[in-house]
Amino acid sequence: IIAGAGIAGLTLAKLISETGDDTVTILEAYEWLPRKTYHNLETHGCRAAFVTLPTLCNGCDRLAHASSNGVFNALRDFVRENGLESMIKYNSKVTEVAYVGRRVKVNVEGQDNMECDFFIQTPTAEPQMPDFKGHDSFRGKIVAAAHVNREMFEDIVKETRNVVVLGGSKAAQDTVFNFVFRGYTNLRWVFRRTYWGTN
């Protein structure tokens, strides 16, 4: 069982299936939709760096960044070209993993438990939100940068809401860039340190 239908999980499933093993299951926590990404998300590496996804460079500048829609389309092509569709189970969020003798028991939210010989957890993009003191009485919104989709972004700009971006991650820097690019000034960026080039 592989948890995660991103580049890592799909590439691993392809490599395993090439050995003749047809028992691979890929568990993906949610629907696989490009709209799940935050506003104006692009890769921080150039297209040519994604050697697993050759269609990402078709008809495009190989040194340019790829949009979230471009990555989604390339992943979809990769799945089709390598016959991985039947391996993927969407809306299958892993909630617990435990050893049972020589096997691994995998609990999936709202589904029957599964067992396997090998469980592989791929990197996850699920944002980790801190528990802010007083958040239950806060009248505004506290959201992860990864959840600021186009609709929410446009609503913030239209209503000229006060915005504080907390943290120095790529998602935080992308969010600040999106607001600054639109000329939005009702914004504060607070971070201890960012590793994306602004210290």
Side-chain angles (χ1 to χ4, degrees):
I1 294 175
I2 299 170
I7 294 174
L10 295 174
T11 303
L12 184 57
K14 174 182 180 287
L15 292 173
I16 294 172
S17 65
E18 285 174 349
T19 68
D21 188 334
D22 61 356
T23 64
V24 177
T25 299
I26 306 169
L27 302 177
E28 174 58 36
Y30 306 105
E31 288 293 335
W32 211 41
L33 299 170
R35 69 170 179 266
K36 288 285 188 182
T37 63
Y38 62 82
H39 179 60
N40 276 352
L41 174 63
E42 289 186 337
T43 58
H44 61 271
C46 66
R47 293 170 182 269
F50 294 86
V51 294
T52 305
L53 304 175
T55 62
L56 195 59
C57 293
N58 288 354
C60 300
D61 179 358
R62 294 174 54 82
L63 299 180
H65 299 283
S67 68
S68 56
N69 278 336
V71 173
F72 171 78
N73 290 330
L75 285 171
R76 186 183 56 200
D77 292 343
F78 182 84
V79 167
R80 288 177 181 161
E81 290 166 6
N82 293 286
L84 304 177
E85 297 100 328
S86 62
M87 297 180 189
I88 305 173
K89 291 184 67 174
Y90 297 103
N91 297 311
S92 298
K93 186 174 186 178
V94 175
T95 57
E96 185 180 9
V97 178
Y99 287 107
V100 179
R102 297 177 64 96
R103 291 178 60 78
V104 181
K105 182 177 80 170
V106 181
N107 291 349
V108 179
E109 191 174 273
Q111 300 179 31
D112 293 335
N113 294 341
M114 303 174 73
E115 284 194 8
C116 62
D117 295 314
F118 296 97
F119 176 80
I120 302 167
Q121 174 69 59
T122 63
T124 176
E126 185 67 25
Q128 302 296 312
M129 288 290 289
D131 184 18
F132 292 103
K133 185 176 180 180
H135 75 274
D136 50 346
S137 59
F138 180 59
R139 292 184 300 180
K141 287 184 179 179
I142 301 175
V143 297
H147 295 159
V148 181
N149 59 23
R150 182 179 302 276
E151 182 180 346
M152 184 183 296
F153 178 83
E154 294 298 340
D155 180 61
I156 291 168
V157 171
K158 180 181 176 183
E159 301 294 329
T160 60
R161 301 181 186 221
N162 294 315
V163 176
V164 175
V165 178
L166 179 64
S169 67
K170 179 181 185 298
Q173 187 157 326
D174 285 349
T175 300
V176 171
F177 173 81
N178 286 331
F179 281 113
V180 171
F181 186 75
R182 287 286 292 271
Y184 198 77
T185 58
N186 203 9
L187 171 74
R188 297 289 179 271
W189 187 13
V190 180
F191 56 86
R192 288 175 292 186
R193 183 179 182 191
T194 176
Y195 45 90
W196 290 100
T198 306
N199 282 315

